[in-house]
Amino acid sequence: MRKKWFHRMLLSYLPVLILIVFLFVFIGIVQLNDLSRKEALKSSNVYVQNIQNSIDMSLRSIEIMMYETITRNMKFMSYAGMESDSSFIIELSQLLQNMTTSNAWIDSVYIYRAGDGAIVSDQTKLNIDQFGDQPFIESNLNNPRKGWSVPRVYRTIKDGIPENKVISIASGVPIQSKGIALLVINIKVSAIHEFLEKYGNSEVNQITVADTDGNQLFAAPGSTAKASDITLVSKYTGWTYTSSLKTEAFGNFYVYMTNGWFIVGFLGMLIAIAWMVYITRRNYKPIETIMTRIQKYNQTHKDNPIQGPSVDELSYIDNTLSNMMEVSEEYQNQNKENQKYKRLLLFQELVEDSRPVDQAEWEAELRNMGIRSFSSASVSLVEIDKYMEFISQHSRKDQGLFKYILKKAVEETAEASGLKIWQEWVTNHRLCIIVLFEHQSSAESQMLVLFDQVRQWMQDNLKLTVTIGLGNTVSEATAISRSYDSSARALDYKSALGSNRVIGHWEIELLSHDDLYVYLQYVRTIAQAFRVGNDGWQEQLKLLFDGLKRLMLPKEEISGILSYMNYYFYREMMELPPEYQELWIREFRTPWDAHMDSLETLEELEYFYSQTLSSCAKRMEAIRESKGNHGVVQKVKAYIEEHFSNPDLSLSGLSDQFHMNSSSLSTLFKEEFGEKFVVYLCQVRMEHAKGLLRDTTLPIQEISEKVGYLHQMSFIRAFKKMIGTTPGDYRKVHQ
């Protein structure tokens, strides 16, 4: 019980004492704060000068490094003089990489040559039309800007994703020249941020930095300009450094708090407060005695205490009377809730077979439903289609209304058909109905008619589709769980059979999945063909989904196959350069994670895979075409497709054919297709071999020779390693 009257009396005197004490404390703090503020301003000036000098020295060292590298290393002069040998370009790129790694602040380095518009960076070689930093080059080529640029967004590829926010410094090559070549060093603004976040804030000071245009490079959270701020301007960068104090009252507050006279005063205030509490408690004693007697009564009568809400002591009796009436009404409501809970628990025990059914409870429930004698029962499950879309389109209130209408539709349709039912929601989107029969009858045909009427009514009147699974008929209450399992298994085939329909248990009991292994073989070849840009993956994807539709698989097995395929796609894409991996994650993995729960049928899944993979393939092809060596690699690919049957086809032969170094050709091939030349050649040969095995009756030896293998055993080993089965077994399955 809250002692409200006690607190009233206590608070009548206590605030006056506290106010007087805090007035003296406030005067002392104000005096000390003024002294501490002056000392803090002096230290702040030294602090901001050190921060400015550190940043200037770091940027100046990078600038000096740039000029020394241009002066001492003749590769820049050679590049400006139109040197374009591939090995020279590689060495130049490595030199730029060394410059990048020499300082953690450097984001990227590149050199531009005006003669042919070529750009070599620490990562790649591009043409000026492809380069994302073209405007900066054009503004600095003929008149290189002195000092560092303002912060700007840097991107390597034109119209590509912005990579980092940088500041840049540029120099002509040779130094002081204009319009010949331009060396650019980009510094990460985030590195300067990290430095300032680490060293620019202390317990007392906080720093704000602005560039030459007045734009803030760094500002501490919650910092605001004050008249007392210290401002310095760097002669090197032109940046403005502003230092301000975090708090005006920090100073020597601790010294003041530990002062002996302050402690004596604080102890005196505590003694005064204790005295006030003691006097107030003595005055409150009569009221406390009355409330103690009431509390003793409550302890004696714990089963039915006279206890009301803690408003104050004088209103306690009135609240207690009101509470007694509320408790009586609550007991009545609780009894009704217990009856509902017991009924739901019995329902769950019947469908889940969690414990033996209590025969007395079962017979009592039958009597409540008006059933004199029990003959048989059958369980059905009604599932709301596209449930994720359903909950996203309707509020919780509307969802509850739709579910209520669905239960009423089932109840009224069953009543019109003379059937007794018991229905409960077992999950958020599944309604379980037990249909009880008093006499032996054609239960399955009656249920088929009943639930088809419910399905049609929901579609016509509410524009809401449902799929119903019908379980088998059982003659004992203990067997109802088996009927529930068969109805749930029938619903598992919604992905294959389609939604908005009634699925009987008899429809799926005779299905066979013996051909599943055949279609799983498509998964690896689909992923490999997609990775190398072979259009054949689309036809194979269609064959896979056509086969899944014929197999009539349950949802769990379909999900397993698709997870298996996604894994192979992921493994194949991880063989490609990072830009392809990022594209794959953005165009397929992210949409799949967002939509996988809402795709319920094979038609929806096939459409999703076809659309997302086609979009991803087009973007991959665009990336390949944007690379300077794409044409050469495509010619090599076409040559392999035409001469794959030549057993002497090799990387060295291709190098001679296309006048390229074999190492360079191997590197280009790996970057384009994510795999070595030997593996790609084997894939091409195996694809042609599969076609001959499916469509002809040629002997294995002859097929081996047609695809470039002189020895039959070498062909068989390669085929089994690549496809997962021998040529003979593959022909048996596909012919």
Side-chain angles (χ1 to χ4, degrees), residues 594-617:
H595 295 90
M596 59 184 296
D597 292 332
S598 61
L599 301 173
E600 296 185 344
T601 64
L602 280 172
E603 287 78 6
E604 295 171 353
L605 289 165
E606 182 179 6
Y607 179 79
F608 174 83
Y609 270 86
S610 177
Q611 292 297 312
T612 54
L613 291 179
S614 297
S615 174
C616 187

mmCIF file of all heavy atoms in Angstrom, residues 594-617:
data_model
loop_
_atom_site.group_PDB
_atom_site.id
_atom_site.type_symbol
_atom_site.label_atom_id
_atom_site.label_comp_id
_atom_site.label_asym_id
_atom_site.label_seq_id
_atom_site.Cartn_x
_atom_site.Cartn_y
_atom_site.Cartn_z
ATOM 1 N N ALA A 594 13.438 -12.819 -51.032
ATOM 2 C CA ALA A 594 12.257 -11.994 -50.760
ATOM 3 C C ALA A 594 10.959 -12.667 -51.185
ATOM 4 O O ALA A 594 9.904 -12.409 -50.614
ATOM 5 C CB ALA A 594 12.391 -10.637 -51.465
ATOM 6 N N HIS A 595 10.992 -13.554 -52.215
ATOM 7 C CA HIS A 595 9.760 -14.092 -52.788
ATOM 8 C C HIS A 595 9.592 -15.598 -52.599
ATOM 9 O O HIS A 595 8.563 -16.149 -53.000
ATOM 10 C CB HIS A 595 9.704 -13.791 -54.296
ATOM 11 C CG HIS A 595 9.613 -12.332 -54.629
ATOM 12 N ND1 HIS A 595 10.737 -11.538 -54.820
ATOM 13 C CD2 HIS A 595 8.545 -11.520 -54.775
ATOM 14 C CE1 HIS A 595 10.360 -10.315 -55.096
ATOM 15 N NE2 HIS A 595 9.049 -10.261 -55.065
ATOM 16 N N MET A 596 10.575 -16.284 -52.021
ATOM 17 C CA MET A 596 10.513 -17.743 -51.980
ATOM 18 C C MET A 596 9.285 -18.259 -51.218
ATOM 19 O O MET A 596 8.715 -19.289 -51.579
ATOM 20 C CB MET A 596 11.797 -18.306 -51.359
ATOM 21 C CG MET A 596 12.070 -17.833 -49.944
ATOM 22 S SD MET A 596 13.645 -18.437 -49.288
ATOM 23 C CE MET A 596 13.329 -20.204 -49.252
ATOM 24 N N ASP A 597 8.866 -17.528 -50.163
ATOM 25 C CA ASP A 597 7.721 -17.993 -49.381
ATOM 26 C C ASP A 597 6.388 -17.773 -50.090
ATOM 27 O O ASP A 597 5.398 -18.439 -49.772
ATOM 28 C CB ASP A 597 7.689 -17.277 -48.025
ATOM 29 C CG ASP A 597 8.845 -17.690 -47.137
ATOM 30 O OD1 ASP A 597 9.316 -18.837 -47.296
ATOM 31 O OD2 ASP A 597 9.281 -16.889 -46.309
ATOM 32 N N SER A 598 6.345 -16.835 -51.050
ATOM 33 C CA SER A 598 5.079 -16.524 -51.722
ATOM 34 C C SER A 598 4.887 -17.314 -53.016
ATOM 35 O O SER A 598 3.821 -17.259 -53.617
ATOM 36 C CB SER A 598 5.002 -15.022 -52.025
ATOM 37 O OG SER A 598 6.048 -14.632 -52.893
ATOM 38 N N LEU A 599 5.925 -18.054 -53.470
ATOM 39 C CA LEU A 599 5.817 -18.847 -54.696
ATOM 40 C C LEU A 599 5.323 -20.242 -54.322
ATOM 41 O O LEU A 599 6.067 -21.039 -53.744
ATOM 42 C CB LEU A 599 7.174 -18.915 -55.400
ATOM 43 C CG LEU A 599 7.776 -17.559 -55.807
ATOM 44 C CD1 LEU A 599 9.184 -17.735 -56.326
ATOM 45 C CD2 LEU A 599 6.896 -16.874 -56.840
ATOM 46 N N GLU A 600 4.069 -20.558 -54.674
ATOM 47 C CA GLU A 600 3.452 -21.788 -54.181
ATOM 48 C C GLU A 600 3.375 -22.885 -55.230
ATOM 49 O O GLU A 600 3.400 -24.061 -54.893
ATOM 50 C CB GLU A 600 2.041 -21.478 -53.670
ATOM 51 C CG GLU A 600 2.020 -20.534 -52.470
ATOM 52 C CD GLU A 600 0.630 -20.330 -51.919
ATOM 53 O OE1 GLU A 600 -0.333 -20.656 -52.637
ATOM 54 O OE2 GLU A 600 0.500 -19.843 -50.777
ATOM 55 N N THR A 601 3.239 -22.566 -56.519
ATOM 56 C CA THR A 601 3.050 -23.582 -57.554
ATOM 57 C C THR A 601 4.265 -23.628 -58.472
ATOM 58 O O THR A 601 5.072 -22.691 -58.533
ATOM 59 C CB THR A 601 1.797 -23.283 -58.393
ATOM 60 O OG1 THR A 601 1.971 -22.045 -59.087
ATOM 61 C CG2 THR A 601 0.563 -23.171 -57.493
ATOM 62 N N LEU A 602 4.380 -24.752 -59.219
ATOM 63 C CA LEU A 602 5.497 -24.900 -60.147
ATOM 64 C C LEU A 602 5.459 -23.858 -61.255
ATOM 65 O O LEU A 602 6.505 -23.421 -61.739
ATOM 66 C CB LEU A 602 5.474 -26.308 -60.751
ATOM 67 C CG LEU A 602 6.054 -27.414 -59.865
ATOM 68 C CD1 LEU A 602 5.797 -28.771 -60.469
ATOM 69 C CD2 LEU A 602 7.543 -27.207 -59.653
ATOM 70 N N GLU A 603 4.252 -23.457 -61.692
ATOM 71 C CA GLU A 603 4.154 -22.419 -62.732
ATOM 72 C C GLU A 603 4.759 -21.107 -62.233
ATOM 73 O O GLU A 603 5.508 -20.434 -62.958
ATOM 74 C CB GLU A 603 2.689 -22.201 -63.138
ATOM 75 C CG GLU A 603 2.083 -23.305 -63.982
ATOM 76 C CD GLU A 603 1.691 -24.528 -63.160
ATOM 77 O OE1 GLU A 603 1.787 -24.456 -61.913
ATOM 78 O OE2 GLU A 603 1.312 -25.550 -63.758
ATOM 79 N N GLU A 604 4.453 -20.732 -60.983
ATOM 80 C CA GLU A 604 5.001 -19.497 -60.435
ATOM 81 C C GLU A 604 6.515 -19.597 -60.271
ATOM 82 O O GLU A 604 7.252 -18.648 -60.560
ATOM 83 C CB GLU A 604 4.348 -19.200 -59.084
ATOM 84 C CG GLU A 604 2.854 -18.904 -59.181
ATOM 85 C CD GLU A 604 2.202 -18.831 -57.813
ATOM 86 O OE1 GLU A 604 2.879 -19.146 -56.823
ATOM 87 O OE2 GLU A 604 1.010 -18.468 -57.738
ATOM 88 N N LEU A 605 7.002 -20.759 -59.818
ATOM 89 C CA LEU A 605 8.434 -20.941 -59.656
ATOM 90 C C LEU A 605 9.161 -20.896 -60.998
ATOM 91 O O LEU A 605 10.226 -20.273 -61.119
ATOM 92 C CB LEU A 605 8.713 -22.275 -58.962
ATOM 93 C CG LEU A 605 8.339 -22.348 -57.474
ATOM 94 C CD1 LEU A 605 8.315 -23.792 -57.003
ATOM 95 C CD2 LEU A 605 9.325 -21.541 -56.632
ATOM 96 N N GLU A 606 8.598 -21.555 -62.017
ATOM 97 C CA GLU A 606 9.231 -21.553 -63.336
ATOM 98 C C GLU A 606 9.306 -20.137 -63.900
ATOM 99 O O GLU A 606 10.318 -19.718 -64.462
ATOM 100 C CB GLU A 606 8.461 -22.464 -64.293
ATOM 101 C CG GLU A 606 9.094 -22.547 -65.678
ATOM 102 C CD GLU A 606 8.335 -23.480 -66.613
ATOM 103 O OE1 GLU A 606 7.260 -23.977 -66.217
ATOM 104 O OE2 GLU A 606 8.816 -23.697 -67.738
ATOM 105 N N TYR A 607 8.217 -19.371 -63.755
ATOM 106 C CA TYR A 607 8.207 -17.993 -64.262
ATOM 107 C C TYR A 607 9.261 -17.148 -63.541
ATOM 108 O O TYR A 607 9.980 -16.364 -64.176
ATOM 109 C CB TYR A 607 6.818 -17.385 -64.067
ATOM 110 C CG TYR A 607 6.704 -15.957 -64.541
ATOM 111 C CD1 TYR A 607 6.547 -15.657 -65.892
ATOM 112 C CD2 TYR A 607 6.772 -14.909 -63.626
ATOM 113 C CE1 TYR A 607 6.460 -14.352 -66.323
ATOM 114 C CE2 TYR A 607 6.693 -13.590 -64.053
ATOM 115 C CZ TYR A 607 6.524 -13.315 -65.401
ATOM 116 O OH TYR A 607 6.432 -12.017 -65.818
ATOM 117 N N PHE A 608 9.387 -17.320 -62.227
ATOM 118 C CA PHE A 608 10.368 -16.547 -61.460
ATOM 119 C C PHE A 608 11.787 -16.871 -61.919
ATOM 120 O O PHE A 608 12.586 -15.958 -62.172
ATOM 121 C CB PHE A 608 10.220 -16.852 -59.970
ATOM 122 C CG PHE A 608 11.279 -16.224 -59.113
ATOM 123 C CD1 PHE A 608 11.159 -14.907 -58.701
ATOM 124 C CD2 PHE A 608 12.411 -16.931 -58.742
ATOM 125 C CE1 PHE A 608 12.138 -14.320 -57.915
ATOM 126 C CE2 PHE A 608 13.398 -16.347 -57.970
ATOM 127 C CZ PHE A 608 13.246 -15.050 -57.559
ATOM 128 N N TYR A 609 12.121 -18.169 -62.038
ATOM 129 C CA TYR A 609 13.464 -18.548 -62.454
ATOM 130 C C TYR A 609 13.769 -18.039 -63.855
ATOM 131 O O TYR A 609 14.853 -17.512 -64.127
ATOM 132 C CB TYR A 609 13.613 -20.068 -62.415
ATOM 133 C CG TYR A 609 14.096 -20.589 -61.088
ATOM 134 C CD1 TYR A 609 13.195 -20.863 -60.066
ATOM 135 C CD2 TYR A 609 15.431 -20.797 -60.837
ATOM 136 C CE1 TYR A 609 13.629 -21.344 -58.832
ATOM 137 C CE2 TYR A 609 15.884 -21.277 -59.617
ATOM 138 C CZ TYR A 609 14.979 -21.553 -58.620
ATOM 139 O OH TYR A 609 15.411 -22.014 -57.422
ATOM 140 N N SER A 610 12.807 -18.187 -64.772
ATOM 141 C CA SER A 610 13.029 -17.773 -66.152
ATOM 142 C C SER A 610 13.282 -16.270 -66.248
ATOM 143 O O SER A 610 14.210 -15.819 -66.917
ATOM 144 C CB SER A 610 11.821 -18.171 -67.006
ATOM 145 O OG SER A 610 11.974 -17.716 -68.333
ATOM 146 N N GLN A 611 12.465 -15.476 -65.522
ATOM 147 C CA GLN A 611 12.585 -14.024 -65.622
ATOM 148 C C GLN A 611 13.870 -13.520 -64.964
ATOM 149 O O GLN A 611 14.609 -12.721 -65.549
ATOM 150 C CB GLN A 611 11.374 -13.351 -64.959
ATOM 151 C CG GLN A 611 10.067 -13.580 -65.698
ATOM 152 C CD GLN A 611 10.083 -12.977 -67.085
ATOM 153 O OE1 GLN A 611 10.458 -11.827 -67.272
ATOM 154 N NE2 GLN A 611 9.668 -13.756 -68.072
ATOM 155 N N THR A 612 14.133 -13.957 -63.733
ATOM 156 C CA THR A 612 15.304 -13.436 -63.020
ATOM 157 C C THR A 612 16.613 -13.897 -63.663
ATOM 158 O O THR A 612 17.547 -13.109 -63.805
ATOM 159 C CB THR A 612 15.267 -13.867 -61.548
ATOM 160 O OG1 THR A 612 15.127 -15.308 -61.473
ATOM 161 C CG2 THR A 612 14.110 -13.222 -60.824
ATOM 162 N N LEU A 613 16.685 -15.164 -64.081
ATOM 163 C CA LEU A 613 17.914 -15.657 -64.700
ATOM 164 C C LEU A 613 18.147 -15.013 -66.058
ATOM 165 O O LEU A 613 19.290 -14.709 -66.423
ATOM 166 C CB LEU A 613 17.854 -17.178 -64.828
ATOM 167 C CG LEU A 613 17.925 -17.962 -63.507
ATOM 168 C CD1 LEU A 613 17.822 -19.447 -63.774
ATOM 169 C CD2 LEU A 613 19.205 -17.652 -62.752
ATOM 170 N N SER A 614 17.084 -14.772 -66.837
ATOM 171 C CA SER A 614 17.241 -14.110 -68.133
ATOM 172 C C SER A 614 17.762 -12.692 -67.947
ATOM 173 O O SER A 614 18.655 -12.236 -68.670
ATOM 174 C CB SER A 614 15.905 -14.091 -68.885
ATOM 175 O OG SER A 614 15.471 -15.397 -69.182
ATOM 176 N N SER A 615 17.214 -11.975 -66.976
ATOM 177 C CA SER A 615 17.677 -10.618 -66.700
ATOM 178 C C SER A 615 19.143 -10.623 -66.269
ATOM 179 O O SER A 615 19.943 -9.797 -66.720
ATOM 180 C CB SER A 615 16.812 -9.983 -65.612
ATOM 181 O OG SER A 615 17.319 -8.730 -65.225
ATOM 182 N N CYS A 616 19.505 -11.561 -65.419
ATOM 183 C CA CYS A 616 20.889 -11.657 -64.957
ATOM 184 C C CYS A 616 21.830 -12.005 -66.114
ATOM 185 O O CYS A 616 22.921 -11.452 -66.227
ATOM 186 C CB CYS A 616 20.989 -12.705 -63.844
ATOM 187 S SG CYS A 616 22.599 -12.777 -63.037
ATOM 188 N N ALA A 617 21.404 -12.913 -67.006
ATOM 189 C CA ALA A 617 22.231 -13.315 -68.145
ATOM 190 C C ALA A 617 22.495 -12.130 -69.071
ATOM 191 O O ALA A 617 23.603 -11.963 -69.587
ATOM 192 C CB ALA A 617 21.556 -14.449 -68.904
#
